[in-house]
Every structure is written in structure tokens, then in C-alpha cells.
Amino acid sequence: MYKKELNKSEALNLLHEKMKNENLRRHCYAVGKVLADFYDFFPTSGKLTKEQWEIAGILHDADWEITKDSPDRHTIELLEWLENYEVEPDLLEVFRSHNSKTTKLREPETRLEWTLECCDELTGFIVAVALVMPEKKLEQVTVDSVLKKFKQKEFAKQVDREQISQCEQKLGVSLNDFVSMTLSSMKKNSGMLGL
Ligand SMILES: [Fe+2]
Ligand SMILES: [Fe+2]
């Protein structure tokens, strides 16, 4: 069977076909943009290209709208859809490592997998911080305001702080730098994120 190459535009087509909610889509765009910037930040980023890092973000939650009532299917659906595409094996491993606490398919291991793991929660947290700013804009958010809210357990309490803080151990990037990079990447793309 002929398989389409999974480039960025095919990844966006797949996301848009499977996910209709604009806010959910924006989360996927945000994670994609942040990963693309981290690709440039790390001295070596492994075998995958910058475009593939962005695709990892774009598609990591592509099946979320469909699986939200059966979280054990999250990423399993996505992996089934991806059987119709030509996908770099290392990129498939990234998706297998997402939601792995539930699916048990693969523990995050590579730099990309850990960056996804940490920035996935952080992008959501930064959106929550932006939404309590007077104008509800990302441009008003600072690294300090994010770190301050980070320490307030009652603020956005569904966000797993531990998952984010692993950037220090798993990536060798301080929490401060990790927040700073993620925030500046989101600010660059604020239009796309509607913030
Ligand atoms: Fe997810
Ligand atoms: Fe996510």
C-alpha cells in the first residue's frame, strides 16, 4: 500500500481532521512550536529533524478529543492512524512514550521524549497564568510570574509540577531556563495561540 510521508503539512491535516476544538488544537500547536525551538537550543538533538520535533508536538494529543472518555486509548488511536503514513521509527517511539503511565508502551528516554513530557504540562500552565493577567495576554506573562504561580499549590492545581521540574534531572536544564525558553517560544507564536 502507498503510504504518505508524514511531513508537517500532513501532520496538521491529520490533526485538523481528528480534532475540532480550537483550544485543544492550540495546545498542540504550542507544544510543536516549543519543541521546534528546543531543537535549536540543544547542542545535539538526535536523529530526528527540527520538522519532526515540531510534528511530535503537533500530533502528541491528536487523538485526545476522541479518546478523552477512554484515556487508556490515548496515543493507541494515534498510532493506528499513523500506520497509513511513512513515519520515522524514532518519531513513532516518541508517540509510544506519551501517555505511557497509562499505556505502558514506552518510558520517555530520549531528549525529545523528555522535552515533550516537561513542556506538555508547562504550556498548559503558562496559558493558565496568561488567563489571570489583566488583559489575558501572553505578553504580560514573565518568567517570575510563572515561577511564583508554580509555587502556589492551589493555582491550576491539576498541573503536575513534578512532571515539569524533571527538566532539571532529565534534560540538565534549570527550571528557570526551561520556563524562559517555553514562554518566549509561546510569545513568538501568540497569534496562533489566540493569546
Ligand atoms: Fe496527552
Ligand atoms: Fe498535551
Side-chain angles (χ1 to χ4, degrees):
M1 190 186 84
Y2 168 75
K3 292 185 179 189
K4 283 190 242 180
E5 187 205 340
L6 186 69
N7 55 26
K8 182 177 159 184
S9 111
E10 286 299 339
L12 285 167
N13 286 344
L14 180 60
L15 176 72
H16 294 156
E17 181 195 331
K18 304 292 188 181
M19 182 179 265
K20 300 300 173 192
N21 180 290
E22 190 59 30
N23 284 333
L24 292 178
R25 286 180 178 181
R26 282 172 171 161
H27 166 70
C28 297
Y29 304 148
V31 176
K33 290 297 180 193
V34 170
L35 289 179
D37 281 342
F38 271 107
Y39 176 92
D40 289 331
F41 167 81
F42 290 120
T44 52
S45 298
K47 264 194 277 172
L48 296 175
T49 63
K50 182 172 178 172
E51 181 177 353
Q52 287 164 333
W53 277 54
E54 183 166 357
I55 293 170
I58 291 170
L59 289 181
H60 81 286
D61 274 346
D63 64 9
W64 180 244
E65 201 170 61
I66 287 167
T67 62
K68 61 179 184 290
D69 296 323
S70 45
D72 54 320
R73 293 289 299 162
H74 175 32
T75 68
I76 308 278
E77 288 288 327
L78 171 65
L79 289 165
E80 287 178 10
W81 302 337
L82 291 179
E83 286 171 14
N84 299 316
Y85 294 82
E86 201 67 65
V87 190
E88 199 61 44
D90 285 11
L91 184 55
L92 280 178
E93 292 300 295
V94 179
F95 298 124
R96 294 179 77 243
S97 79
H98 182 65
N99 196 31
S100 67
K101 286 189 194 106
T102 305
T103 64
K104 308 277 184 251
L105 290 182
R106 170 185 165 88
E107 290 283 304
E109 201 179 291
T110 65
R111 192 166 259 164
L112 170 53
E113 287 161 2
W114 277 113
T115 310
L116 170 61
E117 186 78 0
C118 301
C119 84
D120 191 9
E121 287 289 282
L122 180 56
T123 53
F125 189 78
I126 290 175
V127 169
V129 177
L131 292 177
V132 297
M133 292 291 148
E135 316 265 320
K136 299 191 194 309
K137 289 282 178 210
L138 271 172
E139 66 182 34
Q140 300 169 294
V141 179
T142 62
V143 173
D144 284 350
S145 61
V146 174
L147 292 174
K148 204 170 137 208
K149 295 270 185 230
F150 198 86
K151 291 193 197 109
Q152 298 170 2
K153 291 203 176 70
E154 285 307 301
F155 179 82
K157 61 179 175 205
Q158 77 286 3
V159 173
D160 183 351
R161 269 73 163 167
E162 278 293 296
Q163 190 173 325
I164 298 171
S165 302
Q166 290 180 102
C167 62
E168 307 214 314
Q169 258 214 346
K170 303 292 185 183
L171 297 166
V173 180
S174 69
L175 180 62
N176 196 93
D177 288 353
F178 198 78
V179 168
S180 168
M181 286 277 303
T182 303
L183 178 60
S184 73
S185 177
M186 288 174 75
K187 281 184 176 177
K188 272 197 304 194
N189 296 287
S190 59
M192 180 190 248
L193 306 181
L195 287 167

